[in-house]
Structure formats: structure tokens, C-alpha cells
């Protein structure tokens, strides 16, 4: 709910900023890469930027502030996705528009889902000392596996977006 409402707010904010001439006109980024090394540098840059919210949520899953931080991350991701959706509508190249919107939607879903997992795990951390059967170790393994899977999906989304940009 937070994500959906913030998508709407982000879209409305993007329309307002564009109407007041605060946002430049969208253009298709047809950046030519000089080689494979430049492509990997761009991939690393996009992955690190996209990975920061995932890392923040992961760290907050170990303490009591997870609900507040995850709610804020969901709100910011929603506002970003809504604003990006409005901004990307100006692109004439339909392939780049669709790939960016699909990647943005999947990224938003990954963030929302990982926030829910982190909040759930933070509730388990509170009761961990009372755990006598070793169930916390199993939950920790699942949490780390989910973090690794989410990180891999973010990397795959960044690579897919850059590959579509090259075509």
C-alpha cells in the first residue's frame, strides 16, 4: 500500500516538476560503449546504486528499526518508480521504454518483498535469545539466502537494462 501510494505521489510530483520546467525533457540514452570494460564499469555503477537500498534493508533486518526503515525505503522506491514512469513516457523508442518500465517494476517488487522479509526477520531477532532449538540459525540461513537471491536479481536487472540499451 505504501509503495502504491508513493508511486502515485511520485508520478504527480514528476508531472508538477516537468510543468514548472524543473525537469529536462527525456531523451533516449544512446551511450556508445568503447569496449567491454566500459560496459562493465557502467554495469558496476548501476548495480552499486541499485544495491544500496537492498543493503540498507538487509542491515536493518537485524535491529528493531526495520519497520521504520523498510517503510521509508518502500516509500522512496515507490516515489522513484512513479516519477520514472512519467519521465520515461516521453521516450519515443518503445523498446527502451518497455525494458526500463519492466526492470523498474521488477526492481520495485524485489524491494517490497525484501522489505517484508527483513521486517519479519527483525521480529525473529527480538526473540532469538529465547530460541533453544536452533531455529534462529535456520532462519538466518534463509535470510542470507534471500539476500543473495535478491542481490543476484538486481544485478541481472541492471545487466538486462544495459543489454537492451545496446540493441
Amino acid at each position: 500500500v505504501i509503495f502504491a501510494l508513493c508511486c502515485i505521489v511520485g508520478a504527480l510530483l514528476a508531472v508538477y516538476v516537468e510543468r514548472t520546467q524543473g525537469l529536462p525533457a527525456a531523451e533516449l540514452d544512446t551511450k556508445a560503449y568503447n569496449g567491454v570494460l566500459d560496459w562493465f564499469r557502467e554495469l558496476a555503477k548501476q548495480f552499486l546504486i541499485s544495491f544500496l537500498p537492498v543493503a540498507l534493508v538487509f542491515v536493518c533486518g537485524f535491529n528493531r528499526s526495520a519497520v521504520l526503515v523498510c517503510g521509508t525505503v518502500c516509500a522512496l522506491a515507490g516515489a522513484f518508480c512513479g516519477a520514472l514512469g512519467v519521465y520515461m513516457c516521453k521516450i519515443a523508442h518503445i523498446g527502451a521504454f518497455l525494458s526500463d518500465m519492466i526492470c523498474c517494476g521488477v526492481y520495485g517488487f524485489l524491494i517490497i518483498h525484501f522489505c517484508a522479509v527483513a521486517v519479519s526477520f527483525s521480529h525473529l531477532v527480538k526473540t532469538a535469545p529465547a530460541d533453544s532449538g536452533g531455529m534462529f540459525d535456520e532462519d538466518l540461513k534463509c535470510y542470507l539466502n534471500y539476500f543473495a537471491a535478491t542481490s543476484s536479481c538486481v544485478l541481472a536487472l541492471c545487466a538486462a537494462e544495459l543489454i537492451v540499451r545496446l540493441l
Side-chain angles (χ1 to χ4, degrees), residues 4 33 52 64 71 73 75 95 123 128 131 139 143:
Y33 300 107
L52 287 176
R64 297 175 189 250
V73 167
H123 292 299
D131 184 25
D139 292 333
Y143 186 59

Side-chain angles (χ1 to χ4, degrees), residues 20-51:
T20 60
Q21 304 301 321
L23 192 64
E27 296 176 6
L28 179 61
D29 182 20
T30 56
K31 187 175 186 177
Y33 300 107
N34 292 335
V36 175
L37 188 60
D38 286 342
W39 187 84
F40 278 111
R41 282 186 189 145
E42 185 68 24
L43 176 64
K45 183 176 86 173
Q46 282 190 7
F47 174 69
L48 288 177
I49 291 169
S50 301
F51 180 71

Side-chain angles (χ1 to χ4, degrees), residues 121-167:
F121 183 75
S122 73
H123 292 299
L124 292 173
V125 169
K126 294 177 189 177
T127 61
D131 184 25
S132 60
M135 290 300 293
F136 181 73
D137 293 337
E138 222 25 68
D139 292 333
L140 180 62
K141 286 180 188 175
C142 289
Y143 186 59
L144 293 173
N145 285 338
Y146 197 84
F147 173 67
T150 303
S151 302
S152 299
C153 287
V154 169
L155 180 63
L157 284 172
C158 291
E161 195 268 335
L162 284 175
I163 289 170
V164 169
R165 291 276 172 126
L166 284 175
L167 301 177

Side-chain angles (χ1 to χ4, degrees), residues 50-63 65-75 77 107 110-122 143 146-147 150:
S50 301
F51 180 71
L52 287 176
V54 176
L56 176 67
V57 169
F58 174 74
V59 169
C60 289
F62 289 100
N63 56 34
S65 65
V67 174
L68 176 66
V69 172
C70 290
T72 304
V73 167
C74 282
Y107 179 72
L110 286 171
I111 293 292
I112 292 171
H113 202 262
F114 191 60
C115 284
V117 169
V119 168
S120 176
F121 183 75
S122 73
Y143 186 59
Y146 197 84
F147 173 67
T150 303

